[in-house]
Amino acid sequence: MIRIEQSDRSNNPYAAVFSLASQAYKSEDLIPQVILKHWWQQHPSLFYLAFEGETLCGYMSAFPVTREAFKKTLEPDFDEKKLEPTSIINFDAKGEYQMYFSSIVVHPSWRGQGVSNALREDFLNNLLLLWGQGSWVTQLSSIVIVVSPKVPL
């Protein structure tokens, strides 16, 4: 049974996330572990983590960013490795937010078993909870690195 958890200050998921990402991305597309750590320190709930038992089988990362940073994510030559941690904000106030969807990765052993669907569903449910608290996401951006994996996510 897949269990989804959102990261927070009580866990340090970036090393496990980096390890899993290393299996999915080419080295030139991989976000360095130190950047993941800085992003997590700025926005501890940025990772949605999929576990089977205690094994991390997938993750998704998405976080709110400043308006200026969001505009940069829309540029054709955007490099997410250059996204400054200070560009990542938290849902501290009611109102409108823009989000950057950084990645979704599923370990090859768990592909085709609904892990990415569970991660997306949890993410969307969290957006609905935010809306109920007076915060809403009006824009979402991302870039595609892996277009067609051999086994569906």
PDB file of all heavy atoms in Angstrom, residues 58-92:
ATOM      1  N   GLY A  58       8.760   7.091  -4.666  1.00  0.00           N
ATOM      2  CA  GLY A  58       8.521   8.202  -5.581  1.00  0.00           C
ATOM      3  C   GLY A  58       8.408   9.504  -4.816  1.00  0.00           C
ATOM      4  O   GLY A  58       8.260   9.515  -3.597  1.00  0.00           O
ATOM      5  N   TYR A  59       8.525  10.587  -5.551  1.00  0.00           N
ATOM      6  CA  TYR A  59       8.335  11.907  -4.941  1.00  0.00           C
ATOM      7  C   TYR A  59       7.896  12.906  -5.996  1.00  0.00           C
ATOM      8  O   TYR A  59       8.047  12.688  -7.195  1.00  0.00           O
ATOM      9  CB  TYR A  59       9.607  12.403  -4.252  1.00  0.00           C
ATOM     10  CG  TYR A  59      10.651  12.946  -5.205  1.00  0.00           C
ATOM     11  CD1 TYR A  59      10.647  14.293  -5.561  1.00  0.00           C
ATOM     12  CD2 TYR A  59      11.611  12.119  -5.756  1.00  0.00           C
ATOM     13  CE1 TYR A  59      11.589  14.787  -6.447  1.00  0.00           C
ATOM     14  CE2 TYR A  59      12.550  12.609  -6.641  1.00  0.00           C
ATOM     15  CZ  TYR A  59      12.529  13.943  -6.989  1.00  0.00           C
ATOM     16  OH  TYR A  59      13.455  14.429  -7.880  1.00  0.00           O
ATOM     17  N   MET A  60       7.370  13.990  -5.522  1.00  0.00           N
ATOM     18  CA  MET A  60       7.011  15.112  -6.358  1.00  0.00           C
ATOM     19  C   MET A  60       7.465  16.361  -5.620  1.00  0.00           C
ATOM     20  O   MET A  60       7.422  16.398  -4.387  1.00  0.00           O
ATOM     21  CB  MET A  60       5.493  15.135  -6.538  1.00  0.00           C
ATOM     22  CG  MET A  60       5.008  16.174  -7.500  1.00  0.00           C
ATOM     23  SD  MET A  60       3.212  16.163  -7.581  1.00  0.00           S
ATOM     24  CE  MET A  60       2.907  17.523  -6.481  1.00  0.00           C
ATOM     25  N   SER A  61       7.935  17.346  -6.350  1.00  0.00           N
ATOM     26  CA  SER A  61       8.297  18.608  -5.704  1.00  0.00           C
ATOM     27  C   SER A  61       7.605  19.758  -6.407  1.00  0.00           C
ATOM     28  O   SER A  61       7.608  19.850  -7.635  1.00  0.00           O
ATOM     29  CB  SER A  61       9.819  18.810  -5.681  1.00  0.00           C
ATOM     30  OG  SER A  61      10.355  18.758  -6.980  1.00  0.00           O
ATOM     31  N   ALA A  62       6.972  20.591  -5.606  1.00  0.00           N
ATOM     32  CA  ALA A  62       6.271  21.769  -6.103  1.00  0.00           C
ATOM     33  C   ALA A  62       6.246  22.784  -4.976  1.00  0.00           C
ATOM     34  O   ALA A  62       6.107  22.423  -3.809  1.00  0.00           O
ATOM     35  CB  ALA A  62       4.847  21.408  -6.521  1.00  0.00           C
ATOM     36  N   PHE A  63       6.406  24.043  -5.340  1.00  0.00           N
ATOM     37  CA  PHE A  63       6.469  25.068  -4.297  1.00  0.00           C
ATOM     38  C   PHE A  63       6.067  26.430  -4.841  1.00  0.00           C
ATOM     39  O   PHE A  63       6.220  26.713  -6.027  1.00  0.00           O
ATOM     40  CB  PHE A  63       7.872  25.136  -3.686  1.00  0.00           C
ATOM     41  CG  PHE A  63       8.992  25.046  -4.691  1.00  0.00           C
ATOM     42  CD1 PHE A  63       9.459  26.166  -5.344  1.00  0.00           C
ATOM     43  CD2 PHE A  63       9.576  23.822  -4.963  1.00  0.00           C
ATOM     44  CE1 PHE A  63      10.489  26.080  -6.256  1.00  0.00           C
ATOM     45  CE2 PHE A  63      10.608  23.716  -5.880  1.00  0.00           C
ATOM     46  CZ  PHE A  63      11.073  24.860  -6.533  1.00  0.00           C
ATOM     47  N   PRO A  64       5.530  27.276  -3.950  1.00  0.00           N
ATOM     48  CA  PRO A  64       5.177  28.633  -4.361  1.00  0.00           C
ATOM     49  C   PRO A  64       6.436  29.484  -4.533  1.00  0.00           C
ATOM     50  O   PRO A  64       7.410  29.307  -3.799  1.00  0.00           O
ATOM     51  CB  PRO A  64       4.320  29.145  -3.205  1.00  0.00           C
ATOM     52  CG  PRO A  64       4.689  28.308  -2.038  1.00  0.00           C
ATOM     53  CD  PRO A  64       5.170  27.001  -2.565  1.00  0.00           C
ATOM     54  N   VAL A  65       6.403  30.347  -5.526  1.00  0.00           N
ATOM     55  CA  VAL A  65       7.546  31.227  -5.805  1.00  0.00           C
ATOM     56  C   VAL A  65       7.061  32.667  -5.926  1.00  0.00           C
ATOM     57  O   VAL A  65       5.875  32.923  -6.125  1.00  0.00           O
ATOM     58  CB  VAL A  65       8.285  30.805  -7.097  1.00  0.00           C
ATOM     59  CG1 VAL A  65       8.958  29.451  -6.939  1.00  0.00           C
ATOM     60  CG2 VAL A  65       7.361  30.793  -8.301  1.00  0.00           C
ATOM     61  N   THR A  66       8.012  33.576  -5.815  1.00  0.00           N
ATOM     62  CA  THR A  66       7.686  34.995  -5.987  1.00  0.00           C
ATOM     63  C   THR A  66       7.211  35.247  -7.417  1.00  0.00           C
ATOM     64  O   THR A  66       7.480  34.452  -8.323  1.00  0.00           O
ATOM     65  CB  THR A  66       8.913  35.881  -5.705  1.00  0.00           C
ATOM     66  OG1 THR A  66       9.925  35.581  -6.685  1.00  0.00           O
ATOM     67  CG2 THR A  66       9.457  35.659  -4.303  1.00  0.00           C
ATOM     68  N   ARG A  67       6.533  36.351  -7.617  1.00  0.00           N
ATOM     69  CA  ARG A  67       6.070  36.701  -8.977  1.00  0.00           C
ATOM     70  C   ARG A  67       7.241  36.820  -9.950  1.00  0.00           C
ATOM     71  O   ARG A  67       7.156  36.383 -11.092  1.00  0.00           O
ATOM     72  CB  ARG A  67       5.279  38.003  -8.954  1.00  0.00           C
ATOM     73  CG  ARG A  67       3.930  37.883  -8.312  1.00  0.00           C
ATOM     74  CD  ARG A  67       3.152  39.205  -8.417  1.00  0.00           C
ATOM     75  NE  ARG A  67       1.964  39.179  -7.618  1.00  0.00           N
ATOM     76  CZ  ARG A  67       0.811  38.629  -8.003  1.00  0.00           C
ATOM     77  NH1 ARG A  67       0.733  38.062  -9.183  1.00  0.00           N
ATOM     78  NH2 ARG A  67      -0.240  38.644  -7.208  1.00  0.00           N
ATOM     79  N   GLU A  68       8.331  37.420  -9.478  1.00  0.00           N
ATOM     80  CA  GLU A  68       9.505  37.601 -10.341  1.00  0.00           C
ATOM     81  C   GLU A  68      10.096  36.247 -10.742  1.00  0.00           C
ATOM     82  O   GLU A  68      10.441  36.022 -11.895  1.00  0.00           O
ATOM     83  CB  GLU A  68      10.575  38.441  -9.642  1.00  0.00           C
ATOM     84  CG  GLU A  68      10.148  39.872  -9.329  1.00  0.00           C
ATOM     85  CD  GLU A  68       9.207  39.977  -8.128  1.00  0.00           C
ATOM     86  OE1 GLU A  68       9.294  39.140  -7.198  1.00  0.00           O
ATOM     87  OE2 GLU A  68       8.357  40.881  -8.143  1.00  0.00           O
ATOM     88  N   ALA A  69      10.200  35.345  -9.780  1.00  0.00           N
ATOM     89  CA  ALA A  69      10.735  34.014 -10.068  1.00  0.00           C
ATOM     90  C   ALA A  69       9.797  33.256 -11.005  1.00  0.00           C
ATOM     91  O   ALA A  69      10.264  32.556 -11.911  1.00  0.00           O
ATOM     92  CB  ALA A  69      10.954  33.233  -8.778  1.00  0.00           C
ATOM     93  N   PHE A  70       8.494  33.414 -10.791  1.00  0.00           N
ATOM     94  CA  PHE A  70       7.540  32.714 -11.648  1.00  0.00           C
ATOM     95  C   PHE A  70       7.700  33.152 -13.100  1.00  0.00           C
ATOM     96  O   PHE A  70       7.692  32.324 -14.016  1.00  0.00           O
ATOM     97  CB  PHE A  70       6.102  32.935 -11.184  1.00  0.00           C
ATOM     98  CG  PHE A  70       5.118  32.118 -11.972  1.00  0.00           C
ATOM     99  CD1 PHE A  70       4.925  30.775 -11.678  1.00  0.00           C
ATOM    100  CD2 PHE A  70       4.422  32.682 -13.027  1.00  0.00           C
ATOM    101  CE1 PHE A  70       4.048  30.011 -12.424  1.00  0.00           C
ATOM    102  CE2 PHE A  70       3.546  31.911 -13.782  1.00  0.00           C
ATOM    103  CZ  PHE A  70       3.354  30.582 -13.478  1.00  0.00           C
ATOM    104  N   LYS A  71       7.867  34.442 -13.317  1.00  0.00           N
ATOM    105  CA  LYS A  71       8.069  34.950 -14.688  1.00  0.00           C
ATOM    106  C   LYS A  71       9.294  34.290 -15.319  1.00  0.00           C
ATOM    107  O   LYS A  71       9.273  33.935 -16.498  1.00  0.00           O
ATOM    108  CB  LYS A  71       8.227  36.468 -14.676  1.00  0.00           C
ATOM    109  CG  LYS A  71       6.947  37.202 -14.379  1.00  0.00           C
ATOM    110  CD  LYS A  71       7.180  38.706 -14.294  1.00  0.00           C
ATOM    111  CE  LYS A  71       5.936  39.405 -13.796  1.00  0.00           C
ATOM    112  NZ  LYS A  71       6.153  40.830 -13.551  1.00  0.00           N
ATOM    113  N   LYS A  72      10.344  34.104 -14.538  1.00  0.00           N
ATOM    114  CA  LYS A  72      11.558  33.460 -15.060  1.00  0.00           C
ATOM    115  C   LYS A  72      11.292  32.004 -15.440  1.00  0.00           C
ATOM    116  O   LYS A  72      11.872  31.489 -16.391  1.00  0.00           O
ATOM    117  CB  LYS A  72      12.690  33.535 -14.041  1.00  0.00           C
ATOM    118  CG  LYS A  72      13.236  34.929 -13.858  1.00  0.00           C
ATOM    119  CD  LYS A  72      14.329  34.959 -12.813  1.00  0.00           C
ATOM    120  CE  LYS A  72      14.791  36.380 -12.566  1.00  0.00           C
ATOM    121  NZ  LYS A  72      15.801  36.450 -11.503  1.00  0.00           N
ATOM    122  N   THR A  73      10.421  31.317 -14.687  1.00  0.00           N
ATOM    123  CA  THR A  73      10.144  29.912 -14.997  1.00  0.00           C
ATOM    124  C   THR A  73       9.455  29.755 -16.346  1.00  0.00           C
ATOM    125  O   THR A  73       9.452  28.657 -16.904  1.00  0.00           O
ATOM    126  CB  THR A  73       9.277  29.225 -13.909  1.00  0.00           C
ATOM    127  OG1 THR A  73       7.943  29.763 -13.944  1.00  0.00           O
ATOM    128  CG2 THR A  73       9.882  29.365 -12.536  1.00  0.00           C
ATOM    129  N   LEU A  74       8.887  30.821 -16.857  1.00  0.00           N
ATOM    130  CA  LEU A  74       8.188  30.774 -18.142  1.00  0.00           C
ATOM    131  C   LEU A  74       9.106  31.051 -19.330  1.00  0.00           C
ATOM    132  O   LEU A  74       8.712  30.863 -20.476  1.00  0.00           O
ATOM    133  CB  LEU A  74       7.031  31.773 -18.145  1.00  0.00           C
ATOM    134  CG  LEU A  74       5.956  31.550 -17.078  1.00  0.00           C
ATOM    135  CD1 LEU A  74       4.938  32.674 -17.112  1.00  0.00           C
ATOM    136  CD2 LEU A  74       5.292  30.196 -17.234  1.00  0.00           C
ATOM    137  N   GLU A  75      10.326  31.494 -19.050  1.00  0.00           N
ATOM    138  CA  GLU A  75      11.264  31.813 -20.123  1.00  0.00           C
ATOM    139  C   GLU A  75      11.817  30.529 -20.740  1.00  0.00           C
ATOM    140  O   GLU A  75      12.069  29.550 -20.027  1.00  0.00           O
ATOM    141  CB  GLU A  75      12.398  32.688 -19.588  1.00  0.00           C
ATOM    142  CG  GLU A  75      11.917  34.049 -19.114  1.00  0.00           C
ATOM    143  CD  GLU A  75      12.994  34.870 -18.424  1.00  0.00           C
ATOM    144  OE1 GLU A  75      14.157  34.422 -18.337  1.00  0.00           O
ATOM    145  OE2 GLU A  75      12.649  35.976 -17.969  1.00  0.00           O
ATOM    146  N   PRO A  76      12.027  30.525 -22.063  1.00  0.00           N
ATOM    147  CA  PRO A  76      12.505  29.301 -22.742  1.00  0.00           C
ATOM    148  C   PRO A  76      13.857  28.785 -22.238  1.00  0.00           C
ATOM    149  O   PRO A  76      14.096  27.581 -22.258  1.00  0.00           O
ATOM    150  CB  PRO A  76      12.615  29.726 -24.207  1.00  0.00           C
ATOM    151  CG  PRO A  76      11.855  30.984 -24.332  1.00  0.00           C
ATOM    152  CD  PRO A  76      11.780  31.611 -22.980  1.00  0.00           C
ATOM    153  N   ASP A  77      14.717  29.665 -21.764  1.00  0.00           N
ATOM    154  CA  ASP A  77      16.043  29.239 -21.317  1.00  0.00           C
ATOM    155  C   ASP A  77      16.128  29.110 -19.788  1.00  0.00           C
ATOM    156  O   ASP A  77      17.210  29.098 -19.224  1.00  0.00           O
ATOM    157  CB  ASP A  77      17.117  30.199 -21.824  1.00  0.00           C
ATOM    158  CG  ASP A  77      16.912  31.629 -21.344  1.00  0.00           C
ATOM    159  OD1 ASP A  77      15.803  31.945 -20.853  1.00  0.00           O
ATOM    160  OD2 ASP A  77      17.851  32.423 -21.468  1.00  0.00           O
ATOM    161  N   PHE A  78      14.979  28.960 -19.122  1.00  0.00           N
ATOM    162  CA  PHE A  78      14.961  28.850 -17.666  1.00  0.00           C
ATOM    163  C   PHE A  78      15.768  27.638 -17.202  1.00  0.00           C
ATOM    164  O   PHE A  78      15.645  26.539 -17.747  1.00  0.00           O
ATOM    165  CB  PHE A  78      13.519  28.735 -17.157  1.00  0.00           C
ATOM    166  CG  PHE A  78      13.414  28.458 -15.692  1.00  0.00           C
ATOM    167  CD1 PHE A  78      13.821  29.403 -14.759  1.00  0.00           C
ATOM    168  CD2 PHE A  78      12.921  27.244 -15.232  1.00  0.00           C
ATOM    169  CE1 PHE A  78      13.730  29.149 -13.403  1.00  0.00           C
ATOM    170  CE2 PHE A  78      12.827  26.983 -13.871  1.00  0.00           C
ATOM    171  CZ  PHE A  78      13.235  27.937 -12.963  1.00  0.00           C
ATOM    172  N   ASP A  79      16.604  27.851 -16.199  1.00  0.00           N
ATOM    173  CA  ASP A  79      17.407  26.782 -15.595  1.00  0.00           C
ATOM    174  C   ASP A  79      17.033  26.707 -14.121  1.00  0.00           C
ATOM    175  O   ASP A  79      17.409  27.576 -13.334  1.00  0.00           O
ATOM    176  CB  ASP A  79      18.891  27.075 -15.766  1.00  0.00           C
ATOM    177  CG  ASP A  79      19.789  25.994 -15.187  1.00  0.00           C
ATOM    178  OD1 ASP A  79      19.276  25.022 -14.591  1.00  0.00           O
ATOM    179  OD2 ASP A  79      21.018  26.124 -15.323  1.00  0.00           O
ATOM    180  N   GLU A  80      16.306  25.671 -13.740  1.00  0.00           N
ATOM    181  CA  GLU A  80      15.825  25.598 -12.358  1.00  0.00           C
ATOM    182  C   GLU A  80      16.957  25.496 -11.349  1.00  0.00           C
ATOM    183  O   GLU A  80      16.774  25.815 -10.183  1.00  0.00           O
ATOM    184  CB  GLU A  80      14.821  24.464 -12.175  1.00  0.00           C
ATOM    185  CG  GLU A  80      15.372  23.086 -12.318  1.00  0.00           C
ATOM    186  CD  GLU A  80      14.306  22.018 -12.158  1.00  0.00           C
ATOM    187  OE1 GLU A  80      13.172  22.299 -11.765  1.00  0.00           O
ATOM    188  OE2 GLU A  80      14.633  20.862 -12.452  1.00  0.00           O
ATOM    189  N   LYS A  81      18.143  25.084 -11.786  1.00  0.00           N
ATOM    190  CA  LYS A  81      19.284  25.013 -10.873  1.00  0.00           C
ATOM    191  C   LYS A  81      19.698  26.412 -10.401  1.00  0.00           C
ATOM    192  O   LYS A  81      20.382  26.540  -9.392  1.00  0.00           O
ATOM    193  CB  LYS A  81      20.464  24.323 -11.541  1.00  0.00           C
ATOM    194  CG  LYS A  81      20.214  22.865 -11.830  1.00  0.00           C
ATOM    195  CD  LYS A  81      21.394  22.255 -12.549  1.00  0.00           C
ATOM    196  CE  LYS A  81      20.957  21.018 -13.265  1.00  0.00           C
ATOM    197  NZ  LYS A  81      21.437  20.929 -14.604  1.00  0.00           N
ATOM    198  N   LYS A  82      19.271  27.444 -11.120  1.00  0.00           N
ATOM    199  CA  LYS A  82      19.609  28.819 -10.759  1.00  0.00           C
ATOM    200  C   LYS A  82      18.508  29.500  -9.944  1.00  0.00           C
ATOM    201  O   LYS A  82      18.620  30.667  -9.618  1.00  0.00           O
ATOM    202  CB  LYS A  82      19.910  29.631 -12.023  1.00  0.00           C
ATOM    203  CG  LYS A  82      21.156  29.124 -12.739  1.00  0.00           C
ATOM    204  CD  LYS A  82      21.443  29.945 -13.966  1.00  0.00           C
ATOM    205  CE  LYS A  82      22.698  29.407 -14.653  1.00  0.00           C
ATOM    206  NZ  LYS A  82      22.940  30.063 -15.925  1.00  0.00           N
ATOM    207  N   LEU A  83      17.475  28.750  -9.605  1.00  0.00           N
ATOM    208  CA  LEU A  83      16.390  29.304  -8.794  1.00  0.00           C
ATOM    209  C   LEU A  83      16.893  29.506  -7.372  1.00  0.00           C
ATOM    210  O   LEU A  83      17.271  28.557  -6.690  1.00  0.00           O
ATOM    211  CB  LEU A  83      15.188  28.348  -8.802  1.00  0.00           C
ATOM    212  CG  LEU A  83      13.920  28.843  -8.136  1.00  0.00           C
ATOM    213  CD1 LEU A  83      13.369  30.070  -8.841  1.00  0.00           C
ATOM    214  CD2 LEU A  83      12.885  27.737  -8.136  1.00  0.00           C
ATOM    215  N   GLU A  84      16.935  30.735  -6.951  1.00  0.00           N
ATOM    216  CA  GLU A  84      17.440  31.072  -5.618  1.00  0.00           C
ATOM    217  C   GLU A  84      16.459  30.621  -4.537  1.00  0.00           C
ATOM    218  O   GLU A  84      15.241  30.768  -4.700  1.00  0.00           O
ATOM    219  CB  GLU A  84      17.651  32.585  -5.497  1.00  0.00           C
ATOM    220  CG  GLU A  84      18.743  33.130  -6.386  1.00  0.00           C
ATOM    221  CD  GLU A  84      20.114  32.660  -5.963  1.00  0.00           C
ATOM    222  OE1 GLU A  84      20.344  32.477  -4.754  1.00  0.00           O
ATOM    223  OE2 GLU A  84      20.954  32.456  -6.856  1.00  0.00           O
ATOM    224  N   PRO A  85      16.970  30.101  -3.424  1.00  0.00           N
ATOM    225  CA  PRO A  85      16.074  29.703  -2.327  1.00  0.00           C
ATOM    226  C   PRO A  85      15.183  30.854  -1.851  1.00  0.00           C
ATOM    227  O   PRO A  85      14.049  30.617  -1.450  1.00  0.00           O
ATOM    228  CB  PRO A  85      17.039  29.261  -1.223  1.00  0.00           C
ATOM    229  CG  PRO A  85      18.264  28.835  -1.938  1.00  0.00           C
ATOM    230  CD  PRO A  85      18.367  29.745  -3.139  1.00  0.00           C
ATOM    231  N   THR A  86      15.673  32.079  -1.942  1.00  0.00           N
ATOM    232  CA  THR A  86      14.861  33.225  -1.508  1.00  0.00           C
ATOM    233  C   THR A  86      13.694  33.492  -2.446  1.00  0.00           C
ATOM    234  O   THR A  86      12.788  34.251  -2.104  1.00  0.00           O
ATOM    235  CB  THR A  86      15.731  34.493  -1.390  1.00  0.00           C
ATOM    236  OG1 THR A  86      16.393  34.706  -2.646  1.00  0.00           O
ATOM    237  CG2 THR A  86      16.739  34.363  -0.267  1.00  0.00           C
ATOM    238  N   SER A  87      13.693  32.863  -3.628  1.00  0.00           N
ATOM    239  CA  SER A  87      12.567  32.992  -4.557  1.00  0.00           C
ATOM    240  C   SER A  87      11.418  32.074  -4.164  1.00  0.00           C
ATOM    241  O   SER A  87      10.317  32.200  -4.668  1.00  0.00           O
ATOM    242  CB  SER A  87      13.012  32.637  -5.983  1.00  0.00           C
ATOM    243  OG  SER A  87      13.993  33.523  -6.434  1.00  0.00           O
ATOM    244  N   ILE A  88      11.707  31.124  -3.278  1.00  0.00           N
ATOM    245  CA  ILE A  88      10.692  30.184  -2.804  1.00  0.00           C
ATOM    246  C   ILE A  88      10.035  30.788  -1.570  1.00  0.00           C
ATOM    247  O   ILE A  88      10.710  31.237  -0.647  1.00  0.00           O
ATOM    248  CB  ILE A  88      11.325  28.826  -2.470  1.00  0.00           C
ATOM    249  CG1 ILE A  88      11.993  28.247  -3.723  1.00  0.00           C
ATOM    250  CG2 ILE A  88      10.294  27.867  -1.907  1.00  0.00           C
ATOM    251  CD1 ILE A  88      12.857  27.041  -3.447  1.00  0.00           C
ATOM    252  N   ILE A  89       8.734  30.829  -1.585  1.00  0.00           N
ATOM    253  CA  ILE A  89       8.008  31.440  -0.472  1.00  0.00           C
ATOM    254  C   ILE A  89       7.112  30.387   0.181  1.00  0.00           C
ATOM    255  O   ILE A  89       6.979  29.274  -0.318  1.00  0.00           O
ATOM    256  CB  ILE A  89       7.184  32.660  -0.948  1.00  0.00           C
ATOM    257  CG1 ILE A  89       6.205  32.261  -2.066  1.00  0.00           C
ATOM    258  CG2 ILE A  89       8.118  33.763  -1.419  1.00  0.00           C
ATOM    259  CD1 ILE A  89       5.307  33.383  -2.529  1.00  0.00           C
ATOM    260  N   ASN A  90       6.510  30.737   1.277  1.00  0.00           N
ATOM    261  CA  ASN A  90       5.587  29.850   1.975  1.00  0.00           C
ATOM    262  C   ASN A  90       4.182  30.415   1.880  1.00  0.00           C
ATOM    263  O   ASN A  90       3.983  31.584   1.556  1.00  0.00           O
ATOM    264  CB  ASN A  90       6.000  29.693   3.443  1.00  0.00           C
ATOM    265  CG  ASN A  90       7.255  28.875   3.578  1.00  0.00           C
ATOM    266  OD1 ASN A  90       7.304  27.732   3.179  1.00  0.00           O
ATOM    267  ND2 ASN A  90       8.304  29.482   4.127  1.00  0.00           N
ATOM    268  N   PHE A  91       3.215  29.587   2.166  1.00  0.00           N
ATOM    269  CA  PHE A  91       1.822  30.023   2.184  1.00  0.00           C
ATOM    270  C   PHE A  91       1.526  30.694   3.517  1.00  0.00           C
ATOM    271  O   PHE A  91       0.754  30.202   4.320  1.00  0.00           O
ATOM    272  CB  PHE A  91       0.887  28.830   1.972  1.00  0.00           C
ATOM    273  CG  PHE A  91       0.976  28.212   0.604  1.00  0.00           C
ATOM    274  CD1 PHE A  91       1.590  26.986   0.429  1.00  0.00           C
ATOM    275  CD2 PHE A  91       0.445  28.854  -0.495  1.00  0.00           C
ATOM    276  CE1 PHE A  91       1.666  26.404  -0.822  1.00  0.00           C
ATOM    277  CE2 PHE A  91       0.519  28.285  -1.756  1.00  0.00           C
ATOM    278  CZ  PHE A  91       1.135  27.059  -1.924  1.00  0.00           C
ATOM    279  N   ASP A  92       2.185  31.837   3.760  1.00  0.00           N
ATOM    280  CA  ASP A  92       2.067  32.512   5.053  1.00  0.00           C
ATOM    281  C   ASP A  92       0.864  33.439   5.155  1.00  0.00           C
ATOM    282  O   ASP A  92       0.401  33.738   6.245  1.00  0.00           O
ATOM    283  CB  ASP A  92       3.333  33.341   5.340  1.00  0.00           C
ATOM    284  CG  ASP A  92       4.549  32.456   5.555  1.00  0.00           C
ATOM    285  OD1 ASP A  92       4.383  31.307   5.986  1.00  0.00           O
ATOM    286  OD2 ASP A  92       5.657  32.934   5.276  1.00  0.00           O
TER     287      ASP A  92
END
